[in-house]
Amino acid sequence: MTTFFAKSKPDILTVREHTEDVVAAVEVLRQTYGEHLQFLTKKEWMLLHFAAKYHDVGKYSVGFQTRIKAAIQGVSASKNHENYPHNYLSVAMIPFEDLENHYELDLKDSELLSLIVGFHHERDRQPMKKEIMSIFKEQIESYIDEIEEQQSVKIIRKPDSTLLEVLENRSRIWRDNRNLSNEQKRYILLKGLLHRADYAASAKRKNEKVDTFVEQAVDCSIANQTKQYMKQKGYSIRKIQKFAGEHQDKNVLLVAQTGSGKTEAAFMWIGNEKGFFTLPLRVSLNAIYDRVVRKGEIGFTEAHLLHSGAFDYLIDDQEKSSFELTTQQMLHAQLLAGKLTFSTIDQIFKFPLLYKGFERELATLAYSKVVIDEIQAYDPHIVAILIKGIEMIHQLGGKWMIMTATLPAIFIEELEKRNLLEEKSTVKQITLLPDDRSQATEKMPRRHRIKILQSNILNCVDNILELSFDKKVLVVVNTVKRALEVYDALNGEEQSDVYLLHSQFIARDRKLLENNIKSFGQLNNDSPGIWITTQIVEASIDVDFDILFTEAATPDALFQRFGRCNRKGKRPGMFGEGFTPKEPNVFICAEEASGIDSIYEYSIVSNGLESLKNYDGELMDEETKLRIVENVFSREQLEDSEYLKTFDQSIMELNHLTPFKLDSKEAQNILRDIHSCLIIPGQELGDEARNLVELYYQMSNEEQIERKKIIQELNQLTVSVNKFSFEYRAKKERLSVSSLDQKAFLHYKIVNAKYSKNRGLELACDDVNSRFF
């Protein structure tokens, strides 16, 4: 009997062996979370079973077998037979009429089966009925009896031309972007789940079970683990955590201040379900992931980390991870198999862009719980995509939670317009701890007394120095260039404890600096000194300083910076007793701020400052901050702003998007708004990089793990900068730019720019967008 192959690596598998794995994976999906998918009845699961059984029968074609046998033997394949896309051929082999007659299916069901099998691979080459019929006759017809025997399925003798025409016209299923029809819901869920099953079956090794590649730790509960941890520590369940736990069956819109226990509230809401937790910043995700998985913390080991730098972050902690284990962890994270995944949105929220293959993400989120933390930190274009995504998840029966410290009014308005805040499905909660004027037992001192200075921050050097003799002073500016200017101004004085942190240090040095500022900015560290940073400290680094000096920025950004000063309300009051500052501890420099209109829109900054003037010299409570952000980002105050134009334009475009235009990478780049490149600054680091590449090529192809380690080391030598800004400055300053010679490393640019461990890259190529991912 002839052997027909489906896979040549990592193990050689026959078509039958791979099909059995995919069928088993579908069954795992049905048994684990099937009951959560309210739109899938017994009939849909039967259709998915048939899709799994028939999805790869097209691989029996002569063209495919010629190609894969050559790959297995390590020889060049004959070109006598065309290797036509097997997924289209598989549709031609399905006995639709027979299935309809025996299983009470109708034409709509057959059309759906045709689409999910035909597009279980997304290709540039689109299906054509005439070609499929021709290849079927030439390469499959004479093998039908053998295929039926090996696959234990019936194969049709004459392809159904009507259902092949369905393949040619897939976009007809997508007539409306606003409200998903039942046919669209069935299509998304079945195609997405078939992708999940096929990917899981392809990832497993021959002798492994497919189960854990589909879903892991199904019986584990992040809520139970969190409660157990809090009990061990003697922590009581806070009000918002109790609220979240009581509304696990609803969507949740939660507005609460920093330090109120929002993260644990999200875990209480996820409960026993599968969860995805998103944040704008990778470094913030890393910190929460560590809190969740580490012993001595929550200790929930069934969590995954998923973002573009996750592998480097995980492998860096050699105490807990071997290279092989990290590789395996990343594989399961990418398969979306984890019980709880901490992810940036570019990994799981591309689906509103309807890219080719978007169904896998959306079908998974339809039976999961999705937490979107700090939504106000995204730009308006990305917020529009998030809101569209939330709507699609909601329409498919999934659950979402938005939690934030501040929420712009236009976001609330758009959620209401899409009926996402209706009482029957969603609960809203604003929780602000009572301040020190209240007699409540659970209270928070008003932490910030602000002072608006009509001055450039460079003119505040004397004040900063004076306060730093016995206090911790944080200086936050808007651009790297301004950070270097402030650093130089302060270093010109007799002050040794001045440190600098911005986005343009190489990864190896930046990690060290981040650890240093974290250590410095803790309540149990009483050393005075000055740290100068850019926005990277706003939401990503858990520090607590006595004093903040900041350049003017939009109010949401300013309040994030406030949160790094007297963060926990336990810093002794300025020139008084208790923790409420008697003198200003937050100074806002309103004049000549850097980055205005290149980073922050002038009108929004101006409106925010106007609101803050009412509190100049006064204590600010959390409710005031919340109201200022809500008002400044209202449609009335944003009128004629680029921010509002971008938001409205994005919403409109998403409602009229043409499906299946983008591929996954293109969609991901839109979410990242990628215009960045990796550079290795200076001769010394360049030589180190070249040595690593040389070592890489000395290794054999079998030493894949060692090669990955070298790439990880190479990435530690890089700075991510804005591509256009870098090219402009490199040209202007006549810098020498070269690439690493070998093809696989051409995207690493070596530049003879000035770099040092205490100042970073001197080019000041602020990359605003890349700071999020």
Side-chain angles (χ1 to χ4, degrees):
M1 179 180 291
T2 307
T3 302
F4 294 88
F5 297 103
K7 303 282 180 186
S8 61
K9 60 183 181 180
D11 299 304
I12 297 171
L13 291 177
T14 65
V15 178
R16 175 162 187 145
E17 287 172 329
H18 174 66
T19 300
E20 288 174 346
D21 287 337
V22 178
V23 171
V26 166
E27 188 58 17
V28 173
L29 285 166
R30 189 186 68 79
Q31 290 185 1
T32 52
Y33 295 106
E35 63 182 25
H36 292 68
L37 292 160
Q38 56 182 282
F39 295 104
L40 298 190
T41 66
K42 187 177 178 181
K43 183 165 78 170
E44 276 76 35
W45 283 107
M46 184 170 62
L47 279 172
L48 188 55
H49 174 81
F50 289 140
K53 295 200 77 168
Y54 281 99
H55 80 288
D56 266 1
V57 290
K59 286 184 174 177
Y60 280 90
S61 70
V62 176
F64 183 88
Q65 289 302 312
T66 301
R67 180 69 61 88
I68 195 168
K69 285 175 182 174
I72 291 169
Q73 293 165 8
V75 298
S76 299
S78 163
K79 296 183 179 178
N80 292 337
H81 300 282
E82 181 184 2
N83 182 23
Y84 194 80
H86 71 270
N87 42 310
Y88 303 148
L89 295 176
S90 294
V91 176
M93 299 164 74
I94 299 174
F96 290 104
E97 186 175 347
D98 187 68
L99 294 177
E100 289 177 15
N101 292 336
H102 284 82
Y103 299 98
E104 298 183 358
L105 304 180
D106 57 26
L107 180 58
K108 287 288 184 187
D109 299 323
S110 291
E111 289 176 351
L112 182 60
L113 184 58
S114 170
L115 288 175
I116 61 177
V117 169
F119 290 97
H120 79 272
H121 288 289
E122 295 282 357
R123 303 180 188 276
D124 292 335
R125 182 174 182 175
Q126 294 304 299
M128 292 185 65
K129 182 178 72 172
K130 186 178 177 182
E131 292 177 345
I132 296 170
M133 299 285 265
S134 173
I135 296 291
F136 178 89
K137 190 169 185 61
E138 292 172 11
Q139 298 190 19
I140 292 174
E141 196 172 63
S142 58
Y143 296 96
I144 288 180
D145 290 341
E146 203 167 353
I147 297 170
E148 287 183 329
E149 183 178 353
Q150 293 207 12
Q151 287 294 106
S152 299
V153 294
K154 183 175 181 179
I155 302 296
I156 199 168
R157 262 54 184 176
K158 183 180 179 183
D160 188 320
S161 64
T162 302
L163 290 160
L164 291 181
E165 288 172 5
V166 170
L167 281 187
E168 291 180 324
N169 299 288
R170 174 169 57 157
S171 58
R172 286 182 183 173
I173 199 171
W174 212 266
R175 295 186 180 91
D176 184 4
N177 280 359
R178 284 301 301 267
N179 297 300
L180 296 176
S181 66
N182 286 336
E183 282 310 294
Q184 287 172 326
K185 290 172 184 172
R186 293 208 309 160
Y187 164 79
I188 291 167
L189 293 174
L190 293 191
K191 182 165 182 285
L193 295 181
L194 181 61
H195 278 304
R196 288 284 313 282
D198 194 18
Y199 289 8
S202 298
K204 69 176 274 293
R205 300 304 299 267
K206 191 166 186 173
N207 297 319
E208 292 176 323
K209 284 190 172 182
V210 77
D211 303 44
T212 59
F213 293 86
V214 182
E215 293 295 347
Q216 292 186 315
V218 176
D219 297 327
C220 293
S221 167
I222 181 61
N224 290 343
Q225 189 74 24
T226 303
K227 289 176 189 172
Q228 186 179 340
Y229 164 73
M230 294 176 71
K231 185 177 180 181
Q232 288 171 351
K233 292 289 184 181
Y235 301 154
S236 57
I237 303 290
R238 297 185 182 182
K239 182 180 175 183
I240 63 168
Q241 294 159 356
K242 185 171 183 290
F243 172 84
E246 290 173 347
H247 293 89
Q248 292 182 354
D249 60 335
K250 300 278 190 181
N251 306 312
V252 176
L253 176 60
L254 178 62
V255 181
Q257 69 203 64
T258 302
S260 58
K262 288 198 299 289
T263 302
E264 287 76 8
F267 297 158
M268 300 294 182
W269 175 72
I270 291 172
N272 303 329
E273 308 301 330
K274 182 181 177 78
F276 289 86
F277 192 112
T278 69
L279 265 169
L281 296 163
R282 290 180 300 185
V283 67
S284 305
L285 279 171
N286 295 343
I288 293 181
Y289 171 81
D290 283 345
R291 277 179 56 200
V292 168
V293 300
R294 281 183 174 166
K295 289 180 180 176
E297 301 277 352
I298 293 176
F300 186 74
T301 56
E302 303 298 338
H304 288 158
L305 189 63
L306 184 61
H307 58 68
S308 59
F311 186 88
D312 286 350
Y313 179 77
L314 292 171
I315 196 62
D316 200 45
D317 192 349
Q318 293 291 346
E319 290 183 1
K320 69 178 180 184
S321 300
S322 70
F323 197 91
E324 294 80 0
L325 179 59
T326 303
T327 303
Q328 196 71 3
Q329 285 177 333
M330 287 305 305
L331 174 62
H332 285 103
Q334 289 160 355
L335 290 170
L336 307 181
K339 182 71 176 188
L340 177 61
T341 302
F342 295 91
S343 174
T344 45
I345 61 163
D346 61 317
Q347 302 291 327
I348 62 165
F349 248 88
K350 304 184 296 292
F351 64 88
L353 299 170
L354 304 180
Y355 72 95
K356 294 174 185 172
F358 76 92
E359 304 89 349
R360 185 178 78 102
E361 291 167 20
L362 183 51
T364 305
L365 299 186
Y367 65 86
S368 306
K369 288 187 164 181
V370 186
V371 178
I372 300 174
D373 194 4
E374 303 295 354
I375 192 172
Q376 85 290 343
Y378 297 101
D379 71 35
H381 176 61
I382 292 180
V383 173
I385 293 173
L386 288 172
I387 291 176
K388 178 65 182 174
I390 288 169
E391 182 182 45
M392 295 172 79
I393 291 170
H394 178 70
Q395 290 176 354
L396 283 168
K399 295 282 188 301
W400 54 267
M401 169 188 262
I402 293 175
M403 59 182 199
T404 180
T406 55
L407 190 61
I410 60 167
F411 300 168
I412 299 173
E413 176 188 297
E414 190 62 32
L415 290 168
E416 287 176 338
K417 192 185 297 181
R418 291 168 184 265
N419 300 321
L420 291 170
L421 299 184
E422 292 181 341
E423 286 186 12
K424 63 183 179 184
S425 59
T426 303
V427 290
K428 294 174 283 185
Q429 176 77 1
I430 298 177
T431 297
L432 300 174
L433 295 181
D435 60 38
D436 50 359
R437 292 167 294 192
S438 167
Q439 297 303 310
T441 53
E442 189 179 26
K443 65 183 181 181
M444 173 73 79
R446 286 168 291 170
R447 298 172 293 167
H448 305 120
R449 187 184 293 276
I450 69 168
K451 183 65 181 172
I452 300 176
L453 305 174
Q454 300 304 322
S455 172
N456 182 319
I457 201 164
L458 289 165
N459 296 329
C460 297
V461 167
D462 291 341
N463 289 343
I464 293 170
L465 283 170
E466 183 181 347
L467 287 165
S468 72
F469 283 120
D470 61 351
K471 291 183 173 54
K472 295 177 186 295
V473 181
L474 178 65
V475 180
V476 185
V477 296
N478 299 337
T479 64
V480 174
K481 182 180 180 184
R482 180 58 54 87
L484 288 165
E485 291 171 349
V486 175
Y487 181 72
D488 289 339
L490 286 166
N491 263 329
E493 305 293 334
E494 293 182 3
Q495 171 68 31
S496 58
D497 298 325
V498 181
Y499 308 96
L500 180 64
L501 172 62
H502 54 69
S503 61
Q504 292 184 192
F505 285 92
I506 63 169
R508 187 171 63 190
D509 295 340
R510 179 169 161 175
K511 184 175 180 62
L512 183 63
L513 290 167
E514 287 177 353
N515 288 336
N516 289 344
I517 192 173
K518 283 179 191 172
S519 175
F520 179 86
Q522 300 304 312
L523 285 170
N524 59 6
N525 183 328
D526 56 7
S527 301
I530 303 168
W531 273 86
I532 304 154
T533 79
T534 54
Q535 301 91 335
I536 63 172
V537 79
E538 283 176 16
S540 63
I541 301 177
D542 186 3
V543 291
D544 195 338
F545 281 67
D546 296 300
I547 303 291
L548 169 68
F549 277 80
T550 173
E551 285 193 298
T554 53
D556 57 316
L558 285 179
F559 296 148
Q560 288 286 350
R561 297 175 190 185
F562 286 16
R564 270 62 202 165
C565 173
N566 196 20
R567 179 174 177 76
K568 297 177 181 175
K570 294 181 179 178
R571 287 279 175 198
M574 292 282 292
F575 313 113
E577 298 296 325
F579 299 118
T580 301
K582 305 296 185 296
E583 298 290 336
N585 59 347
V586 172
F587 298 89
I588 303 167
C589 298
E591 296 296 322
E592 301 174 14
S594 60
I596 299 301
D597 278 343
S598 63
I599 298 177
Y600 301 111
E601 193 167 354
Y602 172 78
S603 63
I604 302 174
V605 173
S606 178
N607 289 342
L609 287 175
E610 196 61 32
S611 298
L612 285 170
K613 281 181 182 174
N614 297 323
Y615 303 93
D616 193 13
E618 303 291 328
L619 285 166
M620 288 196 75
D621 60 29
E622 300 306 315
E623 186 173 359
T624 301
K625 297 173 188 173
L626 184 67
R627 298 305 169 209
I628 287 176
V629 170
E630 186 175 333
N631 292 333
V632 169
F633 286 90
S634 65
R635 192 164 286 277
E636 293 73 24
Q637 291 221 19
L638 288 172
E639 188 177 9
D640 296 328
S641 69
E642 288 302 315
Y643 188 99
L644 185 59
K645 288 176 187 171
T646 302
F647 183 72
D648 286 345
Q649 179 73 17
S650 301
I651 288 288
M652 187 188 72
E653 288 175 356
L654 285 164
N655 287 337
H656 299 88
L657 207 60
T658 302
F660 318 122
K661 283 273 193 183
L662 303 173
D663 63 26
S664 176
K665 193 70 179 174
E666 289 169 333
Q668 193 166 49
N669 285 348
I670 288 173
L671 278 174
R672 291 180 179 177
D673 197 10
I674 277 187
H675 300 293
S676 63
C677 63
L678 292 175
I679 67 169
I680 299 169
Q683 185 64 40
E684 187 176 337
L685 291 170
D687 289 343
E688 189 175 346
R690 291 188 183 93
N691 290 337
L692 285 170
V693 172
E694 188 176 334
L695 188 60
Y696 179 94
Y697 281 104
Q698 288 173 0
M699 294 177 177
S700 67
N701 290 334
E702 285 69 37
E703 295 177 283
Q704 289 298 314
I705 290 177
E706 294 304 316
R707 282 188 163 188
K708 285 184 178 178
K709 287 180 180 177
I710 287 177
I711 292 175
Q712 193 265 341
E713 284 185 53
L714 189 59
N715 287 334
Q716 291 298 304
L717 306 180
T718 64
V719 182
S720 178
V721 297
N722 182 283
K723 179 182 176 184
F724 304 116
S725 178
F726 167 67
E727 290 175 351
Y728 169 77
R729 293 193 180 279
K731 184 177 180 181
K732 183 178 179 183
E733 300 181 27
R734 298 183 178 181
L735 298 175
S736 168
V737 181
S738 61
S739 298
L740 290 170
D741 296 335
Q742 288 74 10
K743 185 177 179 182
F745 300 97
L746 287 175
H747 59 293
Y748 294 93
K749 306 292 183 188
I750 298 177
V751 56
N752 66 334
K754 191 176 178 183
Y755 179 88
S756 64
K757 287 188 175 183
N758 59 338
R759 293 173 60 85
L761 179 66
E762 298 281 346
L763 273 182
C765 302
D766 290 50
D767 186 353
V768 180
N769 297 312
S770 66
R771 68 193 169 100
F772 293 124
F773 304 109

